[in-house]
Amino acid sequence: MTAISAAHRTLPLPSIVRVTNLQNGRSLVVRVNDRGPYARGRIIDVSRRAAQLLGFLKKGTARVRVQVMAKESRQLAARLRGGKGGRLAKGDSPIIVDKLPKPTVVSENLLPPREGREAERTSPLSPVRIASAPPPSHNREGAPRAPHVSAPPDLSPRVSVVGVEETKIFVQAGAFANFENANRVRANLTGIAPIKVTTVLIGGRDLFRVRLGPLKGVGDADKVLNKVIEAGYNDAKTIVDGASEAAASHVVTY
């Protein structure tokens, strides 16, 4: 809990993400190393220290934007896998080093031993010689060079601040390619909370989103989400929309 870490349900382990608190603008890079959260309406769990740095430790929840840092995530995964495509085997070291020099072996074919003293003079092992390994390379100061180790991503707890925009919280029952399906869902959920169908262009096609809200806070969103799920829409989720972004973020807990 004192480390800068987080839990996510689907991201590869480990991953590096940037979590931005949309309510105060604080942004922090964290390492995802666990599974969760398991509560509905939550996108990510962060450690106590991360929540403190992001400024919502006492509140328990916050509206956040989670951005995957693909390059840093790949570097970390490659380092832990030893530079290979597979998983880190049991007993393997996560540190990457240069290959050590191997001794060379020189061999000769042995002649059949002669009788008497000639056979005694010819030892079966004498023609086999093992060359010594070359000495390790040295730098200009004469000290042996240190093995190469891949540098891990910088995960020092540095908090940056971005501009804060007005955000609104919704519960999205679903997104549909057919307007009639979306309108049917809207009719089924009428009365739970203010609800409407909006359009969004994703992947070159229009989708019709059914959203309830805007809601006052995370607590109200949790209540509405539970009612929507009880109505049979198990894929419903909590969404936080920014003033300039169509689909901003979700809710984080610690």
Side-chain angles (χ1 to χ4, degrees):
M1 296 303 292
T2 59
I4 309 299
S5 60
H8 196 276
R9 285 192 293 265
T10 58
L11 286 176
L13 300 181
S15 295
I16 307 298
V17 299
R18 179 178 294 278
V19 181
T20 303
N21 187 341
L22 299 176
Q23 295 169 288
N24 60 15
R26 291 191 179 187
S27 179
L28 179 67
V29 175
V30 302
R31 171 175 170 167
V32 177
N33 60 0
D34 199 2
R35 288 296 178 217
Y38 298 106
R40 291 185 180 273
R42 305 293 184 265
I43 186 63
I44 192 171
D45 275 341
V46 299
S47 64
R48 179 178 296 274
R49 178 57 176 162
Q52 183 184 39
L53 293 174
L54 289 171
F56 68 93
L57 178 62
K58 295 181 179 180
K59 294 182 179 180
T61 58
R63 305 178 189 183
V64 299
R65 178 182 299 118
V66 179
Q67 298 168 292
V68 179
M69 304 179 68
K71 179 180 178 182
E72 290 79 359
S73 298
R74 287 193 294 266
Q75 288 177 347
L76 180 60
R79 179 173 178 265
L80 294 179
R81 293 170 183 171
K84 303 177 182 178
R87 294 180 177 273
L88 186 66
K90 183 178 180 180
D92 289 348
S93 172
I95 301 177
I96 301 173
V97 299
D98 292 333
K99 293 182 178 179
L100 296 176
K102 297 181 179 180
T104 56
V105 178
V106 181
S107 62
E108 296 180 1
N109 294 328
L110 300 178
L111 298 176
R114 296 182 181 181
E115 297 180 357
R117 296 180 179 178
E118 293 296 329
E120 296 177 358
R121 295 176 181 176
T122 307
S123 172
L125 300 179
S126 58
V128 180
R129 300 187 300 274
I130 299 178
S132 60
S137 58
H138 289 67
N139 54 25
R140 294 181 179 178
E141 288 75 15
R145 294 182 182 275
H148 171 71
V149 180
S150 61
D154 184 11
L155 295 179
S156 55
R158 292 179 295 180
V159 178
S160 57
V161 180
V162 298
V164 178
E165 298 181 358
E166 181 183 359
T167 60
K168 298 179 180 180
I169 188 167
F170 298 85
V171 170
Q172 180 168 305
F176 306 88
N178 187 287
F179 174 77
E180 293 181 358
N181 294 336
N183 195 42
R184 189 179 300 111
V185 173
R186 182 195 62 79
N188 293 338
L189 298 177
T190 298
I192 296 177
I195 185 171
K196 60 181 179 179
V197 177
T198 60
T199 59
V200 62
L201 183 64
I202 298 179
R205 65 172 185 167
D206 288 323
L207 292 179
F208 300 92
R209 303 178 304 188
V210 181
R211 290 188 169 183
L212 296 90
L215 305 169
K216 293 182 179 180
V218 176
D220 291 342
D222 289 342
K223 295 177 182 178
V224 172
L225 178 62
N226 290 333
K227 292 180 179 180
V228 172
I229 293 173
E230 290 174 358
Y233 301 97
N234 295 324
D235 293 332
K237 56 186 176 181
T238 305
I239 298 292
V240 178
D241 265 7
S244 62
E245 231 176 330
S249 308
H250 299 73
V251 176
V252 64
T253 58
Y254 78 90

